[in-house]
Amino acid sequence: MTNSPKALYIHIPFCEHICDYCDFTKLQYFTNYAKKYLVSLKEELDSYHINHELNTIYIGGGTPTSLSDDEFSELLSMLDKYTQGVEEYTVECNPESLSDRKLELMKEHGVNRLSIGVESTHDEILKAINRHHTFRDVKLAISRARKAGFNNINVDLIIGLPHVSKTLFIEDLEEIISLDVEHISCYSLTVHEHTVFGINHVLEPTEDFSRELYDITHERLEKAGFIHYEVSNWAKPNRMSKHNYTYWKDECYYGVGLGASGYIGKYRYTNTKSLVDYYNGKFVKEKEVVDYEDDKIYFLMLNLRTIEGLDLNKYQRMFDENFYKKHQKTLDKYIGESLLIFNKEENRIYASYAGMMVLDSIVVELLSE
Amino acid sequence: MDFKKEKIRNFSIIAHIDHGKSTLADRILESTGAISSREMKDQILDSMDLERERGITIKLNAVTLSYKGDNGETYIFNLIDTPGHVDFTYEVSRSLAACEGALLVVDATQGVEAQTLANTYLAVDNDLYIMPVINKVDLPSAQPELVKKEIEERIGISCVDSYEVSAKTGQGVHELLEGIIREIPSPEGDENAPLKALIFDSYYDSYRGVVILIRIKDGTVNVGDEIHLMQSGKDYQVTEVGIRTPEEIKTKSLTAGQVGYLCAQIKDIKDVHPGDTVTTKNNGAKEPLPGYRIMNPMVYCGLYPVDSDDYQALKDALEKLSLNDASLQFTAETSQALGFGFRCGFLGLLHMDIIQERLEREYNLDLILTAPSVIYHVHMTDGEIINLDNPSKLPDPSKIAFIEEPYVKASIMTPKEYVGPIMELCQERRGIYLNMEYFDDTRMVLTYELPLSEIVYNFFDKLKSYTKGYASFDYEYSSYHKGDLVKLDVLLNGQIVDALSSIIYRPSGYTRGLGIIRRIKQVIPRQQFEIPIQAAIGGKVIARCDVKAVRKDVLAKCYGGDISRKKKLLEKQKEGKKRMKKVGSVEIPQEAFMSILSIDEEDN
């Protein structure tokens, strides 16, 4: 299959503790569950018969590092046969569970990128959202990771947590910049129904406040040498996440594990979130056939999230349709307002920073035509 | 079914909404053996889905039933159903005029309500024999004795011979049927006199034309007769007569005392008016039956398709609906903001609601309704009088001498602790106090004359919230009064949106203007640019607020698992956008056009 996915996502749903805002598929860690889980995970992975080279592997969660050292080692060993030729191999970590032993194991198995959930640099805020680390833990974890030889590190930060004023947030940014990492993700808080935040009716930041904080983030991080390359992602040159680009370029990927999603050939699928079903080998829960029209929507909404934007030649090849011609009036309007930018030489349309912030209305307008 | 008049009983059921009128009708149908209970859908007389859902009767229906009494004789019962809403009061009075008796159904747990009173008085006006029926006596909270006392004291009808029933279980229904034979007078009338038949309802049938439901007061009508409608002045030849059981059974003729239907190849339902008298063309009656009135729409609004390509479909749908609904009027109109549409007249707000729902549901149309308006009498300085049904068309104020608006006489029945708030509400709404009296120990009836336009402005909702839902409300149209009225315009992005104009009471201009634009602000989604919303009177802006430009709407996270969800979200937004109307460069959702109505004084 020429169109075989070049990216593999592995989901580890366990956590030592559940964060108040988290909407991912997650479960309290128990060693019995985890052992059994790894057996099923291998079974699912094998079922895809992946025998071509992959470009990227990403182990996310939950908290992959919540596994015991033995389980963690077993997981990485299970993936060894897929690492040939992999350019980027990421593992999500919590500062408090990133032990030297785990760092050593990752290095041995070829992991070359770490993503650390920092969320806030203020200890009282971290405590309030049920994170069990301090900012000191973060600094220590990063310095140990550096010592272990990791030179590609991402940290996550949440924009608009309760009780975080503009001043506190600017302090967050300064502290994050001082960590001197290669990649920063900043996400505006989204409150989901079935989370502690949702149950307690915590409010999301208002549209205007969220935008104000994004403006500050955009400005400060660019000044610190980061490229704002996707709505919520900033990277030092050449340090953009290759794995995540798979999603944003509307390319295929395997998704393995509880609640994971994948995109293979013409199908997008989502796995079950029931551990019992998963143990019993009922992996896939929902499957969606992506037809011509669906694919156009996916292609548009995803590509416009990054500064590479929409490759009009590729669009023409894929959909046999001249995108610019079809939407000329609207595109020209947005280009005139500098929300979209047209790169004539490369025949590519991308969103400016201001355009990225209001991408939903732009995309909806284009879809309505 | 040739029956002597003595064996005929013509009656209606009158009741407040939810007091069990339709259930009782069903039970009577069942007990008379007209239909077996297996064939019965609940509430068979309410045949429209919408009626079933709302639990109210919109369209009248009549059935002929045969009932064998305990005395061994077979009787003919004509049960004539009545609509249960104030919009249709005239139709109620005409169907009552077709009867000799009425069952007054009162819920044993609720007691007498304003609507019960209003309809009972209509029945009394028509000289009907009234049989009190206490329903829902099977419920633990039933208090039949108390309710009887209430009926006697408040309505003045003796309950010595009242009937306690449960329409739900059938308890007491047999005794009631025997009572109908015993108590309700058989019809009078002379079968040899010139024909006089009362039209109380009609509907359109694509094969036979308009089917008229009639009660023969005098004389006989035969197939082949040349008939004359005395009020509309039209002549036809009878092609079919019969009775409904509810299935139609053709007969050769209908004679004095009978209730049935008549077809005469009548093409247009607008020629058939409820209350009109059918007579023969030759040797016809000299005088028509009394009580006839022309029904005029009281409330008007603009109806526009969201998608302008649906204009023809909307026109076809309105034409179809008006085939069966003589009181629905519509004429084409254009709005700068909304394009091509129709100005439609309705009997009242409920009627408007029903038509809108039917258009959207049965004809699958996406509609924009402008806020309903009453008919203003605009007296020009040159003496001309304009009947204005569209506020945006109000002429230049300098050429207007004065404006008159319609008033209604409203009776509000309320537990006495709410009298204060209700009086305040009526005062606020420019009500003229007429009367207040004790209904019983705990309840009072307030009578006010109120501008109809004030009732159109969320009066019901207000009344409900002021009285925790305990007050009931009824009104009838009274007369036109001069008012200090001006046109309030709404400007979006600097442009007047004609469909948002309304005529308001000048002294409350600022409050209402601010209320309207604040409400509009809440329903207009943020767009790519800031949108000023202004309220203006006579070209002068009196209030303003802004819808800020969208600043951030993008979803923060979009990784593997988020992608499908995100697409669904965007598609939903796209659907929502489709239902909005673009006026200039501003997208306006349907709700905005109705927001003129739902202003809340507390907002200000």
Side-chain angles (χ1 to χ4, degrees):
Chain A
M1 204 158 84
T2 51
N3 218 359
S4 297
K6 298 287 193 305
L8 169 64
Y9 175 80
I10 303 282
H11 192 76
I12 302 299
F14 304 106
C15 294
E16 281 146 288
H17 49 83
I18 306 295
C19 305
D20 288 357
Y21 52 86
C22 179
D23 181 44
F24 288 103
T25 308
K26 76 270 171 181
L27 302 156
Q28 187 73 41
Y29 171 81
F30 287 112
T31 185
N32 289 350
Y33 288 179
K35 285 200 163 57
K36 219 171 158 186
Y37 182 74
L38 291 177
V39 175
S40 297
L41 190 74
K42 182 162 186 322
E43 201 184 306
E44 192 197 354
L45 194 53
D46 288 346
S47 73
Y48 288 113
H49 302 288
I50 306 170
N51 47 25
H52 57 275
E53 284 193 0
L54 299 172
N55 288 339
T56 63
I57 299 176
Y58 193 107
I59 306 177
T63 317
T65 50
S66 69
L67 296 175
S68 72
D69 290 349
D70 286 351
E71 290 152 3
F72 194 60
S73 164
E74 190 188 330
L75 170 69
L76 295 177
S77 306
M78 187 196 300
L79 295 170
D80 279 344
K81 64 173 171 179
Y82 306 107
T83 55
Q84 182 72 34
V86 164
E87 295 168 30
E88 186 187 281
Y89 187 173
T90 309
V91 176
E92 283 182 359
C93 316
N94 261 7
E96 70 271 29
S97 56
L98 188 60
S99 64
D100 284 335
R101 175 64 190 141
K102 286 206 172 80
L103 284 165
E104 196 184 323
L105 280 169
M106 287 193 278
K107 205 68 207 166
E108 269 172 38
H109 288 275
V111 174
N112 58 13
R113 185 171 181 270
L114 302 181
S115 177
I116 302 175
V118 174
E119 320 311 356
S120 171
T121 65
H122 294 91
D123 293 346
E124 66 282 5
I125 301 287
L126 288 168
K127 208 168 160 187
I129 60 173
N130 201 25
R131 295 287 296 188
H132 287 206
H133 70 262
T134 61
F135 189 56
R136 192 167 164 272
D137 295 336
V138 172
K139 287 197 268 195
L140 284 173
I142 288 174
S143 86
R144 281 189 288 111
R146 293 293 193 211
K147 225 175 272 168
F150 287 94
N151 61 4
N152 195 0
I153 296 177
N154 167 61
V155 295
D156 284 347
L157 185 69
I158 299 179
I159 290 181
L161 280 171
H163 311 298
V164 177
S165 64
K166 189 167 138 187
T167 321
L168 281 189
F169 181 72
I170 290 171
E171 286 172 23
D172 274 339
L173 275 178
E174 297 305 331
E175 293 281 17
I176 288 285
I177 291 167
S178 75
L179 293 174
D180 197 24
V181 289
E182 287 71 33
H183 193 284
I184 298 172
S185 302
C186 293
Y187 304 112
S188 188
L189 176 70
T190 311
V191 176
H192 300 275
E193 213 180 327
H194 301 291
T195 62
V196 175
F197 272 12
I199 292 159
N200 293 337
H201 302 290
V202 168
L203 294 180
E204 291 180 2
T206 63
E207 182 178 336
D208 293 305
F209 188 51
S210 173
R211 173 67 189 266
E212 194 183 350
L213 299 183
Y214 260 93
D215 286 352
I216 295 167
T217 312
H218 175 73
E219 190 201 313
R220 300 255 165 158
L221 293 185
E222 291 229 316
K223 214 189 261 169
F226 288 90
I227 300 161
H228 189 180
Y229 76 100
E230 194 264 355
V231 174
S232 304
N233 286 284
W234 284 259
K236 290 279 173 66
N238 302 316
R239 294 297 195 175
M240 288 83 177
S241 166
K242 293 191 172 78
H243 182 83
N244 289 338
Y245 250 117
T246 308
Y247 304 134
W248 302 323
K249 290 195 168 195
D250 191 28
E251 286 168 0
C252 290
Y253 53 98
Y254 296 106
V256 179
L258 193 71
S261 295
Y263 177 22
I264 306 175
K266 282 196 168 327
Y267 299 98
R268 285 186 178 271
Y269 64 90
T270 303
N271 277 356
T272 178
K273 292 185 177 180
S274 148
L275 201 55
V276 177
D277 282 351
Y278 196 76
Y279 286 160
N280 289 328
K282 291 185 213 150
F283 303 125
V284 176
K285 176 85 185 293
E286 287 164 50
K287 211 166 181 180
E288 177 203 357
V289 185
V290 179
D291 65 19
Y292 172 83
E293 288 300 326
D294 293 334
D295 203 16
K296 278 207 278 195
I297 302 176
Y298 281 125
F299 192 77
L300 179 69
M301 73 173 217
L302 292 167
N303 276 281
L304 281 177
R305 289 183 69 90
T306 72
I307 48 165
E308 296 207 4
L310 198 66
D311 179 338
L312 298 179
N313 294 333
K314 195 171 167 192
Y315 191 95
Q316 173 85 48
R317 274 200 310 277
M318 283 179 69
F319 303 109
D320 196 23
E321 194 176 272
N322 188 325
F323 184 80
Y324 192 88
K325 228 179 195 167
K326 186 174 172 196
H327 300 287
Q328 187 160 6
K329 211 176 136 201
T330 308
L331 290 173
D332 284 348
K333 178 183 85 185
Y334 285 126
I335 291 166
E337 290 166 1
S338 299
L339 293 175
L340 292 179
I341 296 164
F342 181 40
N343 182 323
K344 221 172 183 170
E345 291 86 69
E346 295 173 23
N347 201 23
R348 183 163 77 73
I349 286 180
Y350 62 98
S352 65
Y353 166 68
M356 255 183 205
M357 289 296 103
V358 296
L359 199 56
D360 278 13
S361 10
I362 296 178
V363 170
V364 169
E365 184 162 355
L366 290 169
L367 291 182
S368 306
E369 293 180 328
Chain B
M1 287 215 193
D2 260 345
F3 267 90
K4 299 219 171 322
K5 284 199 308 258
E6 297 73 55
K7 295 285 164 59
I8 296 177
R9 300 291 181 272
N10 298 320
F11 61 96
S12 277
I13 306 177
I14 51 184
H16 189 69
I17 297 169
D18 286 341
H19 281 204
K21 183 180 71 173
S22 298
T23 317
L24 180 62
D26 288 350
R27 212 51 65 226
I28 291 175
L29 257 67
E30 204 182 48
S31 309
T32 51
I35 317 165
S36 74
S37 28
R38 248 183 316 134
E39 291 171 89
M40 267 200 49
K41 281 202 250 170
D42 271 349
Q43 308 195 346
I44 205 131
L45 287 186
D46 295 351
S47 50
M48 257 194 288
D49 280 353
L50 226 92
E51 298 187 9
R52 258 170 228 279
E53 268 169 42
R54 293 182 171 225
I56 49 165
T57 315
I58 300 153
K59 216 58 197 129
L60 300 182
N61 260 306
V63 282
T64 301
L65 311 162
S66 70
Y67 175 69
K68 195 167 180 192
D70 289 349
N71 60 9
E73 304 265 357
T74 303
Y75 292 84
I76 291 292
F77 284 179
N78 288 308
L79 168 55
I80 298 171
D81 203 7
T82 56
H85 192 272
V86 62
D87 284 0
F88 307 101
T89 300
Y90 175 67
E91 293 188 347
V92 175
S93 89
R94 290 309 84 205
S95 61
L96 291 175
C99 303
E100 278 76 38
L103 312 186
L104 168 62
V105 178
V106 181
D107 187 328
T109 67
Q110 304 285 322
V112 177
E113 312 261 358
Q115 185 116 57
T116 323
L117 227 63
N119 283 344
T120 310
Y121 291 147
L122 279 178
V124 172
D125 285 348
N126 282 291
D127 291 329
L128 263 52
Y129 180 87
I130 292 168
M131 287 173 68
V133 178
I134 319 299
N135 190 21
K136 304 194 189 177
V137 291
D138 58 315
L139 294 180
S141 54
Q143 292 185 298
E145 291 313 315
L146 218 70
V147 171
K148 279 184 208 169
K149 200 171 149 238
E150 203 176 77
I151 293 173
E152 290 187 337
E153 286 176 4
R154 303 303 148 211
I155 309 182
I157 290 169
S158 162
C159 281
V160 178
D161 291 319
S162 64
Y163 294 83
E164 292 183 17
V165 305
S166 163
K168 206 173 85 195
T169 66
Q171 176 192 337
V173 172
H174 177 77
E175 291 74 19
L176 175 64
L177 293 172
E178 289 297 319
I180 290 171
I181 296 175
R182 224 173 27 245
E183 294 180 30
I184 293 181
S186 56
E188 292 173 355
D190 179 357
E191 46 259 63
N192 301 313
L195 175 67
K196 268 190 189 178
L198 174 72
I199 298 176
F200 62 89
D201 193 18
S202 61
Y203 59 91
Y204 187 79
D205 179 292
S206 41
Y207 298 105
R208 299 175 293 174
V210 179
V211 180
I212 307 175
L213 301 188
I214 48 170
R215 156 71 198 272
I216 314 285
K217 293 282 189 183
D218 278 320
T220 304
V221 63
N222 303 290
V223 175
D225 283 355
E226 302 262 347
I227 53 165
H228 173 70
L229 305 188
M230 297 180 82
Q231 303 287 357
S232 71
K234 304 266 178 169
D235 296 333
Y236 304 94
Q237 186 170 25
V238 177
T239 54
E240 185 182 330
V241 295
I243 56 169
R244 294 151 39 107
T245 68
E247 290 86 40
E248 288 177 350
I249 296 174
K250 289 184 196 174
T251 59
K252 290 200 182 87
S253 61
L254 293 171
T255 61
Q258 281 194 297
V259 172
Y261 70 92
L262 178 157
C263 307
Q265 291 298 330
I266 304 170
K267 293 278 170 279
D268 191 349
I269 203 157
K270 299 214 159 35
D271 292 333
V272 179
H273 307 164
D276 199 350
T277 306
V278 183
T279 189
T280 46
K281 194 176 164 193
N282 302 314
N283 305 319
K286 300 270 178 300
E287 293 290 323
L289 294 162
Y292 172 75
R293 227 169 64 197
I294 297 173
M295 272 196 298
N296 285 321
M298 294 305 291
V299 175
Y300 282 77
C301 82
L303 263 178
Y304 291 83
V306 173
D307 180 350
S308 51
D309 292 345
D310 283 343
Y311 175 79
Q312 191 58 41
L314 174 58
K315 189 175 175 213
D316 293 346
L318 282 169
E319 271 165 4
K320 271 195 197 134
L321 285 182
S322 69
L323 277 181
N324 252 324
D325 186 346
S327 42
L328 168 67
Q329 295 189 356
F330 64 97
T331 49
E333 76 169 7
T334 39
S335 150
Q336 282 166 358
L338 301 177
F340 293 99
F342 298 91
R343 176 105 331 220
C344 299
F346 307 95
L347 293 176
L349 291 174
L350 179 86
H351 188 212
M352 181 177 96
D353 246 25
I354 288 164
I355 297 293
Q356 179 199 0
E357 266 193 64
R358 291 191 66 186
L359 287 169
E360 295 196 331
R361 213 185 281 192
E362 294 167 31
Y363 296 90
N364 206 14
L365 292 161
D366 277 341
L367 298 175
I368 286 178
L369 266 76
T370 64
S373 163
V374 300
I375 297 205
Y376 294 96
H377 291 169
V378 183
H379 294 255
M380 307 299 286
T381 45
D382 63 6
E384 191 194 351
I385 301 171
I386 298 170
N387 286 345
L388 185 83
D389 59 17
N390 181 346
S392 70
K393 305 253 156 75
L394 186 74
D396 181 352
S398 65
K399 292 181 181 144
I400 297 173
F402 61 92
I403 305 174
E404 287 181 319
E405 62 178 324
Y407 274 63
V408 297
K409 192 176 148 200
S411 0
I412 303 163
M413 185 189 287
T414 173
K416 60 184 174 193
E417 60 264 40
Y418 302 119
V419 164
I422 290 176
M423 290 181 90
E424 216 173 283
L425 174 66
C426 290
Q427 226 94 73
E428 232 170 61
R429 298 305 179 92
R430 301 187 280 137
I432 303 162
Y433 171 84
L434 296 180
N435 191 22
M436 171 164 70
E437 57 188 7
Y438 269 98
F439 179 74
D440 55 25
D441 295 344
T442 56
R443 287 182 292 177
M444 308 199 75
V445 178
L446 293 164
T447 318
Y448 269 87
E449 208 174 9
L450 282 159
L452 178 60
S453 66
E454 297 285 351
I455 288 176
V456 167
Y457 288 106
N458 75 344
F459 186 83
F460 293 102
D461 295 343
K462 279 275 151 180
L463 186 66
K464 246 193 269 165
S465 73
Y466 275 38
T467 63
K468 303 201 172 84
Y470 279 112
S472 54
F473 173 67
D474 192 54
Y475 65 88
E476 58 184 308
Y477 301 106
S478 59
S479 53
Y480 273 78
H481 292 300
K482 236 191 237 187
D484 185 7
L485 303 169
V486 284
K487 182 168 72 142
L488 179 84
D489 290 316
V490 173
L491 292 82
L492 284 182
N493 216 13
Q495 244 185 318
I496 290 185
V497 180
D498 57 0
L500 287 172
S501 295
S502 54
I503 288 175
I504 60 161
Y505 181 54
R506 188 195 309 267
S508 57
Y510 174 73
T511 355
R512 194 154 270 177
L514 194 64
I516 289 172
I517 61 172
R518 282 191 176 160
R519 187 60 60 134
I520 293 174
K521 180 187 162 171
Q522 282 169 19
V523 295
I524 291 187
R526 285 187 176 202
Q527 293 168 37
Q528 299 281 9
F529 44 88
E530 186 172 273
I531 305 162
I533 308 174
Q534 294 158 305
I537 291 175
K540 194 172 150 253
V541 173
I542 54 160
R544 166 184 172 140
C545 60
D546 300 318
V547 175
K548 284 202 221 159
V550 60
R551 299 212 53 214
K552 181 176 163 292
D553 61 14
V554 67
L555 186 77
K557 283 190 180 184
C558 197
Y559 300 102
D562 311 307
I563 295 173
S564 295
R565 217 179 324 152
K566 176 68 182 167
K567 172 172 164 264
K568 278 185 200 137
L569 219 73
L570 291 173
E571 283 178 326
K572 214 171 131 195
Q573 286 176 27
K574 182 180 133 186
E575 283 313 302
K577 201 180 164 81
K578 257 204 220 153
R579 290 177 62 88
M580 285 197 259
K581 196 87 193 175
K582 206 159 182 173
V583 177
S585 50
V586 184
E587 274 165 346
I588 309 177
Q590 287 165 294
E591 306 94 276
F593 296 97
M594 292 302 276
S595 55
I596 295 179
L597 293 187
S598 43
I599 43 156
D600 224 324
E601 279 74 16
E602 283 95 299
D603 286 358
N604 299 325

